[in-house]
Amino acid sequence: MNETHLRGKLAVVTGGSDGIGLGLAQRLALAGAEVVLPVRNAAKGRAALDRIGGASSTRFLDLASLESVAALADRLNEEGRPIHILINNAAVMTPPTRHTTTDGFELQFGTNHLGHVALVARILPLLIAGAARVTTQSALAAAMVRGMNWDDLQFEHGYRPWPAYGQSKLATMLFALELDRRSRRHGWGITSTMAHPGLAATNLQSAGPGLGGGRSPFDAAFRFLAPLGWPVQRVAGGVRPAWYAATSPEAVGGRYYGPRGLGHLTGAAREQRLHRAARSPEEAARLWDVSCELAEVSFPEAS
């Protein structure tokens, strides 16, 4: 796969109706890929299709519902088409009060992490058939936490928005690393990479805080600063690390990519240093097992 020719490839992008997900979907379509957007909001999905063009389509998905994830996976498996690129991009960020998914998980952990774990597990045969590149979005906020809060993964006691968000993004990193290890160990043929966008002005700054009925103070600031190019960038800049991780032949499985600029906030893609907890295979394996149990999925030990 390369940046100029993805014709004949099927790409699935979660959270692709807005922000960085939409930017990624547009670039994939321009490069010739057929793009599937799993979306919760049908109207936003239709609007995104108008902007993306090419061979693109939507499917319904609510990552905060394991039943919805299973329904999407069933549909994709019935269609039976190998998936060549999967970008686990959708996220909710820092609702000011604790919310839960349909299944009772803390909203950020359940949506950002467990929903994607369930999706990957349930469409694994299609990913194997496509020798897929699976790129999972983490975030700078992962560095805000020392490690997984094993005593209270769901933040049922003393919920704090940023630590809960940071943990969810550390979890996505650990999962992506373990997916790459297990793919190599069991011969799945999947390459799993990670990315973070730095700081980019998207609706994510207001979507999570909006759950509390207000808007984040970051929202206006990000949109004011984005035209300056630092410390905040526009969506087109934030797309670059995940685009590189998902499509560049030089991107390596198990590696983490983000902006190369000052503070890793903006700029072209460059390999990043892993979170300290992510450098522990034991920590990643532990989260893998716990996540599979919570998401009620399993992975085969061989292809």
Side-chain angles (χ1 to χ4, degrees):
M1 293 182 290
N2 58 59
E3 187 167 346
T4 59
H5 187 67
L6 294 177
R7 195 170 306 280
K9 305 296 184 182
L10 179 63
V12 178
V13 183
T14 68
S17 63
D18 201 354
I20 287 173
L22 177 57
L24 286 165
Q26 289 176 304
R27 290 196 67 169
L28 288 163
L30 284 172
E34 178 179 347
V35 183
V36 172
L37 300 183
V39 298
R40 186 177 60 177
N41 185 310
K44 289 182 66 175
R46 289 191 297 270
L49 293 184
D50 290 341
R51 295 180 62 179
I52 293 166
S56 55
S57 59
T58 62
R59 306 288 189 278
F60 178 76
L61 173 64
D62 180 0
L63 280 165
S65 164
L66 294 178
E67 182 179 5
S68 177
V69 174
L72 171 66
D74 286 346
R75 180 172 178 183
L76 293 174
N77 284 317
E78 287 171 6
E79 293 170 2
R81 300 184 58 197
I83 295 172
H84 305 96
I85 298 171
L86 170 64
I87 303 182
N88 295 322
N89 167 78
V92 62
M93 185 177 80
T94 62
T97 59
R98 187 177 183 273
H99 292 257
T100 57
T101 68
T102 302
D103 305 283
F105 305 119
E106 189 275 317
L107 184 63
Q108 296 170 100
F109 187 74
T111 302
N112 303 355
H113 173 58
L114 291 178
H116 285 120
V117 171
L119 179 61
V120 170
R122 291 184 180 278
I123 63 171
L124 189 69
L126 303 179
L127 299 172
I128 291 174
R133 182 79 63 90
V134 177
T135 296
T136 301
Q137 290 274 35
S138 184
L140 286 169
M144 297 177 63
V145 296
R146 295 174 60 89
M148 298 302 299
N149 183 8
W150 293 113
D151 293 331
D152 189 15
L153 278 178
Q154 307 301 329
F155 278 84
E156 296 176 279
H157 309 288
Y159 171 81
R160 290 179 293 161
W162 280 104
Y165 177 66
Q167 175 182 256
S168 77
K169 286 302 186 176
L170 173 59
T172 66
M173 186 187 298
L174 290 166
F175 171 69
L177 284 165
E178 189 65 11
L179 177 62
D180 195 71
R181 291 190 191 104
R182 296 199 182 215
S183 176
R184 287 185 276 109
R185 184 185 311 156
H186 302 308
W188 296 341
I190 295 169
T191 300
S192 175
T193 58
M194 299 149 285
H196 78 82
L199 294 184
T202 71
N203 285 337
L204 190 62
Q205 286 84 46
S206 59
L211 291 173
R215 294 181 68 85
S216 167
F218 293 106
D219 189 39
F222 272 39
R223 296 186 187 283
F224 174 78
L225 292 169
L228 304 178
W230 193 92
V232 179
Q233 60 196 329
R234 299 181 192 271
V235 166
V239 161
R240 288 184 286 184
W243 170 256
Y244 181 87
T247 66
S248 172
E250 297 178 2
V252 179
R255 303 291 177 85
Y256 183 36
Y257 298 96
R260 69 172 68 236
L262 180 64
H264 304 292
L265 302 179
T266 66
R270 179 180 180 178
E271 186 176 344
Q272 309 283 291
R273 182 174 175 83
L274 290 170
H275 189 288
R276 180 178 61 181
R279 298 195 290 273
S280 166
E282 294 78 16
E283 192 82 348
R286 180 181 181 185
L287 180 66
W288 178 279
D289 291 340
V290 170
S291 299
C292 287
E293 181 178 356
L294 293 174
E296 300 179 358
V297 294
S298 61
F299 288 79
E301 291 304 303
S303 61

